[in-house]
Amino acid sequence: MKDDAALTLPEELLLLALDPVRGKPYCRGRFLEYGIAGAALAELELQGRTTHERGRVVVVNPLDPPDALLAVFLRSLPPPGKSRSGSGVSAKGWVRKAGRRAGGLYLDALVERGVLRRETRRFLGLLPYHRHPAGPASPAEQVRQRFEESRAAGYPDRRSRLLAGLAAAVGLPSVVRQGDRRTRGVARALAREEWPALAVHRNVRQDKASQAGGGAGGGGGSGDGD
């Protein structure tokens, strides 16, 4: 099991977003999936594997990172010079396409490590869905404490700014509704200033606009019995 200080951004975001007792996301399930995909892009950039150019993700180091899941998502991006539509791939489009897979893979991995438990329930007694409360090896409390410390310090480093922006982009209530006005405003601003969070924000906004217009597009349902 990883030390909690070595958790990747997708793992940290998941632990922030899940109620440790009920196992239910504090935000919409589909929005969290976008957030996890965006967090994977953010982690790849922090590790020097990718960069961002005018709304597009560009691979600069195609060698697999040590983390197996990050390697999966790095391989899903066009290698340098291999994109058919110019340099890289649309960050917003990639997040939308990869979201559901990213959410499932990271949940499975954390369940396998004992960080989360998986409880299967049935909606109206028929349709199965899952909840993911904290497991015996969960560092969720440490992740939340570290996040609160970084918020109190004004998100002093790039990693904390990325996590705050992603959390705001998916609409975590503890980020966009709680705390003082200044820290809420900073988090909302980071959702637009940090490009992985902006890619998530744009997909969330698209889904909300689709739902407001009565459309079924955008895959906005959580798919987890909500």
Side-chain angles (χ1 to χ4, degrees):
M1 149 106 199
K2 293 180 184 177
D3 175 24
D4 69 276
L7 291 169
T8 62
L9 280 171
E11 293 165 342
E12 288 188 270
L13 181 63
L14 253 179
L15 293 179
L16 282 177
L18 290 173
D19 184 318
V21 176
R22 300 174 63 203
K24 180 179 178 179
Y26 292 118
C27 60
R28 293 206 55 180
R30 183 59 171 149
F31 297 170
L32 179 56
E33 290 171 349
Y34 294 147
I36 295 167
L41 291 181
E43 187 70 46
L44 287 169
E45 186 196 39
L46 286 176
Q47 295 187 15
R49 309 286 171 170
T50 64
T51 189
H52 178 254
E53 298 177 0
R54 298 184 298 277
R56 302 182 73 79
V57 187
V58 179
V59 174
V60 294
N61 179 359
L63 298 178
D64 282 354
D67 184 275
L69 285 184
L70 290 177
V72 168
F73 292 111
L74 181 62
R75 290 195 295 267
S76 77
L77 296 166
K82 297 295 185 180
S83 175
R84 292 180 294 178
S85 56
S87 180
V89 65
S90 162
K92 175 180 179 291
W94 188 90
V95 162
R96 191 166 199 85
K97 182 177 179 181
R100 201 170 299 279
R101 184 186 186 201
L105 286 176
Y106 276 101
L107 283 170
D108 288 348
L110 292 182
V111 169
E112 184 177 348
R113 300 209 313 260
V115 174
L116 298 174
R117 293 182 292 110
R118 175 164 290 152
E119 298 177 352
T120 301
R121 305 179 185 183
R122 292 189 177 275
F123 181 61
L124 300 178
L126 298 172
L127 301 176
Y129 65 95
H130 301 301
R131 289 283 184 253
H132 293 91
S138 176
E141 184 58 37
Q142 295 93 317
V143 169
R144 288 187 174 85
Q145 180 178 349
R146 194 161 57 241
F147 183 84
E148 289 303 323
E149 290 171 353
S150 73
R151 172 157 59 181
Y155 307 115
D157 55 73
R158 179 83 196 289
R159 187 179 191 87
S160 66
R161 291 193 293 272
L162 283 164
L163 185 56
L166 290 160
V170 303
L172 286 189
S174 61
V175 177
V176 298
R177 298 179 191 169
Q178 298 177 17
D180 60 47
R181 181 179 299 179
R182 183 189 64 82
T183 56
R184 294 196 306 268
V186 168
R188 290 192 180 98
L190 289 170
R192 294 165 174 81
E193 293 169 7
E194 295 291 352
W195 69 265
L198 178 60
V200 174
H201 170 72
R202 286 175 170 167
N203 278 295
V204 169
R205 185 173 60 187
Q206 178 180 329
D207 283 7
K208 288 181 176 178
S210 176
Q211 292 153 16
S222 66
D224 62 0
D226 289 344

